[in-house]
Structures are given as structure tokens and as C-alpha cells.
Amino acid sequence: MRKFLILLIMLFFAIPTFAVDKTSAEYLYNKKHFSPMNPLVESIAQKAIKKSLKKETGANFKVNFEGYTLSSMKAGVFKHLELTGKNITIEGVNIPYLKFKTLSDYNRIDYTVNPIVVQSDMTFYYEMHLSEKSINDALKSKEYRKTIENVNKKAYPLFMLNDVKARIKNNKVYIIMEYNFPINPVGKNKTFMVSTNFNVVNGIIKARDIGIDKAYGNLSLEKVTNLINLLDPLSFTIDLVNVRKCKGKIENVKIEDNIFQINGKMFVEGSK
């Protein structure tokens, strides 16, 4: 009888242990973990991530990976991930600098499938730098032709845009537009150039401080600003390199040393 009682007590205390999900956020947050193998496993994960990013982008990334326990990392759960890369090419666009880091403390993925499936909601901070070349690479894409076509539908029959380019000089952006007249076209395209800065309004990049050369006459600044916002070269470049189409929020944009510096947050919804 005594042995039976001891066995019963052991089973009673063992049941909660068997029921605990050791990969759950509740368990990992609330327990202290002694995991001597973590540094080795984290190092292996960092090397694997670097190799994968090198294959996808051709760039070398600095990777910082932090897990909870060996068993949780094996299940695809981790605490923190930070990626920093320079001179990355995504969708044919050169990105001088790109940084992502997780803001969520519990992140879960299924790395056994291709492509990787995100299983938990994840929040990232990101910082991206765009050069003059970055923007012009994006404006040459087939996708941007759709933007020009939409502008031309609104501008008809006044003018028709054929090409849009950007120049950055002395921390000022110049948008150069080639246009013609749809009803009575001239032999050579005409050029219209404006200078502009940008800021963020409710998470959307907007043109501001539009400058127009007096040689163009007395044009409406409001209409020209609306035109630049329709052309939207900066936001388009960001959207083009966001190949996973995650939900993003732009928080700040500034130009320094002729480079756009953009930061914000990105939200990835986990599979249910």
C-alpha cells in the first residue's frame, strides 16, 4: 500500500510536467533556463541565416540570434533576431544599408518547409537607406510603368509622361519628368523638373517644399505637389523591395549625405 501511495503521489506531481508545453511563450517567459548548449546552437543558427541571406541577396549580413532553450530553438522558437547588411540587391534594386530587428520577444517559425512559414505574430523595427541609384533602379522597373500609366490617365489630354528620373544633390531631391502632348505631340519630348523634400504624414511619405524654376511660368504649387505624390518615387521603391508584402509602417524619413534614411515598423501575421 505504501509503495502504491508513493507511486500515486509521483504521478500526481508528474502530470503538470507532462502537460506543460515547453515551447510556449508562458513557459519560456516565466521559467529560468540553464542552457549550456545555447551559445553553440545560436552560433550554428547565425551561420545558417548568413548563408541563406548570402544566397538570396548576394550580400554579407551581420546576424545576431538569441534563443531560449535547446528544445524551443529546435521547434523554431527564438527570442531575438537582428540582421544588418550593406549593398544588398533586392528585386533589381541596390540597397546601401538595411537593418531588421525583432521587437517581439516570442517568435516562432517552421523552418522545415520552403519557403519558411511564420507561425507567430512578429514585429520588426527596420531601417533602410536609399541612394539616387536605388530610386532610379526602381523607376526603371516594369511595375513603375503602371504608376506612370495611372498618372497619364488623370493628366489626359493636357500631357503624357514618358519617363521619370530622380537626382539627389546637396541633400535635395530633383524629380525629372519627360513628357509630350497626346493630342498634338512634338518631335522631341519636353523636360519638366522640380525639387522637393519629403516627410511622413500618418505613415505615408508626402512631398513638401516643392520648388519650381521660374522659367516654367506661374504653375500651381498644389497641383505640382499632387503630381509628385501621385508619382510617389520613394514609397514605390520601398514597396518594390518589400517582396513579402508585409504590413509596414513608415515612421521617419530624412536625407543625409545624399542618402535617404527611412525607418519604421513591420508586422508579420503568423499562420493560424
Side-chain angles (χ1 to χ4, degrees):
M1 179 64 72
R2 184 172 174 231
K3 289 183 179 179
F4 175 75
L5 287 173
I6 292 173
L7 180 60
L8 191 63
I9 292 169
M10 289 175 64
L11 286 172
F12 178 81
F13 283 104
I15 288 171
T17 304
F18 293 147
V20 167
D21 179 2
K22 293 186 177 181
T23 64
S24 69
E26 292 77 14
Y27 176 83
L28 295 172
Y29 284 160
N30 298 323
K31 297 288 184 181
K32 290 185 178 180
H33 309 285
F34 178 66
S35 303
M37 290 296 292
N38 273 18
L40 176 61
V41 177
E42 289 167 350
S43 176
I44 293 171
Q46 286 173 181
K47 289 179 181 178
I49 294 168
K50 285 181 181 180
K51 184 177 180 180
S52 178
L53 289 171
K54 178 71 173 179
K55 182 179 179 180
E56 291 294 326
T57 68
N60 294 314
F61 275 79
K62 181 180 178 181
V63 178
N64 182 13
F65 176 87
E66 184 181 357
Y68 283 101
T69 63
L70 182 61
S71 59
S72 63
M73 283 189 282
K74 187 177 179 181
V77 176
F78 60 94
K79 183 177 183 180
H80 177 72
L81 177 64
E82 184 174 320
L83 311 172
T84 307
K86 295 181 178 180
N87 297 318
I88 306 142
T89 300
I90 304 174
E91 296 290 294
V93 178
N94 177 263
I95 310 297
Y97 177 86
L98 183 62
K99 180 177 183 177
F100 282 95
K101 65 178 181 180
T102 52
L103 296 179
S104 41
D105 287 334
Y106 180 87
N107 308 282
R108 185 166 193 158
I109 61 171
D110 184 353
Y111 59 87
T112 64
V113 295
N114 188 17
I116 289 173
V117 174
V118 175
Q119 296 177 311
S120 66
D121 293 346
M122 298 168 67
T123 303
F124 292 87
Y125 164 86
Y126 74 87
E127 182 178 344
M128 179 189 298
H129 293 182
L130 297 177
S131 64
E132 177 183 303
K133 184 180 186 307
S134 306
I135 297 170
N136 283 319
D137 283 347
L139 300 187
K140 291 176 185 175
S141 68
K142 292 180 180 179
E143 289 86 352
Y144 193 69
R145 291 306 309 178
K146 297 175 184 176
T147 299
I148 293 178
E149 289 169 6
N150 289 334
V151 171
N152 285 338
K153 288 176 183 178
K154 295 177 183 295
Y156 187 88
L158 297 177
F159 64 86
M160 180 177 68
L161 290 177
N162 292 295
D163 193 26
V164 179
K165 296 178 182 177
R167 287 287 311 276
I168 303 177
K169 187 176 181 181
N170 298 325
N171 291 330
K172 195 78 171 179
V173 186
Y174 297 86
I175 307 298
I176 305 162
M177 295 160 272
E178 286 190 15
Y179 69 98
N180 214 312
F181 306 102
I183 295 177
N184 188 24
V186 296
K188 186 178 180 181
N189 289 337
K190 293 183 174 293
T191 301
F192 178 55
M193 182 175 71
V194 301
S195 62
T196 183
N197 282 322
F198 294 91
N199 63 356
V200 179
V201 180
N202 296 324
I204 300 173
I205 296 177
K206 294 288 187 181
R208 67 176 177 87
D209 301 333
I210 293 286
I212 308 173
D213 195 291
K214 293 180 180 178
Y216 294 119
N218 188 22
L219 294 176
S220 166
L221 281 177
E222 182 181 358
K223 289 183 178 180
V224 174
T225 302
N226 289 339
L227 173 61
I228 300 303
N229 285 331
L230 284 171
L231 290 172
D232 203 13
L234 203 55
S235 297
F236 178 83
T237 305
I238 297 170
D239 289 342
L240 187 65
V241 300
N242 182 15
V243 291
R244 292 189 182 275
K245 301 300 178 186
C246 306
K247 294 179 181 178
K249 180 182 179 183
I250 301 167
E251 295 184 339
N252 299 288
V253 58
K254 67 176 181 177
I255 186 168
E256 195 172 284
D257 297 328
N258 292 329
I259 296 289
F260 273 107
Q261 300 180 13
I262 301 153
N263 65 56
K265 291 184 177 67
M266 189 168 289
F267 310 96
V268 182
E269 187 176 348
S271 60
K272 305 301 181 183

